[in-house]
Amino acid sequence: MDATNFSTLSAALDWHKAGHRVALVTVVATWGSSPRPVGAMMCIRDDGQVAGSVSGGCVEDDLIDRIRREGMPARTGTATYGVTKEEAARFGLPCGGTLRLVVEPVDDAGWIDEVLRRITRHELAVREVDMESGAHSIAIAAGNEVCALEEGTFRMVFGPRWRLLLIGAGQTSALAAEIAKTLDFHVIVCDPREEFFRTWSVPQTDLLTIMPDDAVLALEPDPRTAIVALTHDPKLDDMALLEALKSPAFYVGALGSKANTEKRRERLALFDLAPGEIDRLHGPVGLRIGSRTPAEIAVSVMAEIISVRSRMAAMAERTEACIT
């Protein structure tokens, strides 16, 4: 769950506690091009104020207008926008784009409080709502569960569904961590150097002070894990990479110049890594955007990670389409 949705839920909870009537709106399906992905959320309160978004703005305007004219919905229901080309143009959707939304009144905000607590504990939770009765439940979610509306049940997944392990607790790591939190990542930082870990202050991240190779093994990387070495110290970075490159992590990268990256590959080849495993290393890390400052490097690193993640998602969709 990205930071935008966390803020949306927080706003809904605060407004409800303040005595406002509130409705939550969630994107549950898209067809064609869509400005916001499945799972995007917004909340509307009774005076028309909103937090979050489900489109470029025109759908939000229509939902606000509906609530002002008709009042808050009495029960959970759905709304669809962009069925025709004319409607898509009216609501500012891309040509052929269609959004299906679940609109839910917040009569009892207790579940929002519970979800926010679970997110703060880095837990992945799924909430299921019976569209007919409004009954709902919250449970621990599997990593592959997604937001959907199927057979009368609305399912929403909350919490970080991806993990990012950063080796090094320096300035670049801090900046990358802040960006990663907004991109649905649970961020773990490892640095055994006291002069670095004592000053780490990025909230909602986990700090490990063990050796990097032990951190990778303890994390048990899976295909939803990215690992980036950012210490500039081969003794630390290489230790992490030796374990990371043998793991199923979808992304493994290391900071360094082209010359230093080649030297690193030569060092890694001296250990029990196959050539194919070494070839998995993204180095020099990050997209080529001419980055020089720590902030620019953090942007390039996270941009490359998102690029790889998006390619993975596209491949999975093509595979699923072929199977079905």
Side-chain angles (χ1 to χ4, degrees):
M1 174 186 219
D2 64 31
T4 302
N5 282 357
F6 186 92
S7 298
T8 299
L9 285 176
S10 297
L13 181 62
D14 290 342
W15 292 345
H16 186 274
K17 288 180 176 179
H20 288 280
R21 297 193 64 200
V22 181
L24 277 172
V25 184
T26 306
V27 179
V28 291
T30 65
W31 296 269
S33 300
S34 172
R36 295 284 284 138
V38 170
M41 301 177 69
M42 67 174 289
C43 62
I44 311 173
R45 76 183 195 188
D46 46 18
D47 61 357
Q49 188 167 333
V50 301
S53 67
V54 293
S55 80
C58 293
V59 170
E60 286 85 347
D61 290 343
D62 186 71
L63 289 166
I64 293 168
D65 183 60
R66 283 192 187 188
I67 284 175
R68 282 175 172 165
R69 286 186 290 105
E70 304 169 9
M72 283 288 173
R75 54 178 293 175
T76 301
T78 62
T80 302
Y81 288 86
V83 175
T84 66
K85 289 185 179 180
E86 291 76 15
E87 192 176 54
R90 175 190 169 200
F91 292 113
L93 298 173
C95 183
T98 301
L99 292 176
R100 190 179 190 192
L101 311 173
V102 166
V103 183
E104 178 184 7
V106 180
D107 298 322
D108 177 6
W111 69 265
I112 299 179
D113 211 6
E114 181 180 351
V115 164
L116 292 175
R117 286 197 299 269
R118 287 174 180 257
I119 294 171
T120 302
R121 295 196 299 265
H122 307 301
E123 294 178 8
L124 187 62
V126 59
R127 178 174 179 256
E128 292 190 348
V129 180
D130 185 291
M131 295 291 288
E132 183 64 29
S133 67
H136 64 89
S137 62
I138 299 174
I140 296 174
N144 59 352
E145 290 192 81
V146 295
C147 175
L149 175 59
E150 299 172 331
E151 299 179 351
T153 299
F154 167 45
R155 183 182 303 107
M156 181 63 182
V157 179
F158 301 95
R161 284 168 284 184
W162 300 82
R163 296 186 297 175
L164 171 62
L165 173 62
L166 298 170
I167 306 301
Q171 186 180 17
T172 301
S173 290
L175 292 163
E178 292 286 8
I179 298 171
K181 290 191 300 176
T182 71
L183 297 170
D184 209 13
F185 282 92
H186 169 201
V187 180
I188 306 101
V189 178
C190 173
D191 201 323
R193 302 170 298 179
E194 184 174 0
E195 63 272 24
F196 284 90
F197 72 68
R198 283 198 175 277
T199 59
W200 182 260
S201 60
V202 180
Q204 295 181 338
T205 60
D206 290 340
L207 176 64
L208 303 177
T209 59
I210 58 179
M211 294 304 291
D213 53 336
D214 291 331
V216 175
L217 291 171
L219 187 63
E220 297 182 351
D222 58 23
R224 303 175 73 80
T225 305
I227 301 171
V228 185
L230 298 170
T231 72
H232 278 298
D233 184 342
K235 296 189 299 294
L236 298 176
D237 287 348
D238 289 3
M239 290 175 67
L241 296 173
L242 285 170
E243 299 299 336
L245 291 169
K246 293 185 287 186
S247 78
F250 79 90
Y251 180 95
V252 179
L255 189 64
S257 65
K258 289 184 178 179
N260 286 338
T261 297
E262 286 307 310
K263 291 178 182 177
R264 173 177 285 117
R265 291 179 184 274
E266 292 173 1
R267 292 195 301 270
L268 293 173
L270 300 175
F271 295 88
D272 60 338
L273 289 176
E277 292 172 328
I278 297 175
D279 289 342
R280 295 183 59 223
L281 177 65
H282 291 265
V285 73
L287 292 184
R288 308 282 82 81
I289 60 173
S291 54
R292 294 183 180 276
T293 68
E296 291 170 345
I297 293 170
V299 168
S300 73
V301 169
M302 293 312 304
E304 185 172 53
I305 290 175
I306 294 305
S307 176
V308 173
R309 186 174 76 173
S310 297
R311 290 200 300 270
M312 284 176 50
M315 290 175 59
E317 288 179 2
R318 287 197 294 269
T319 301
E320 184 177 345
C322 291
I323 293 174
T324 56

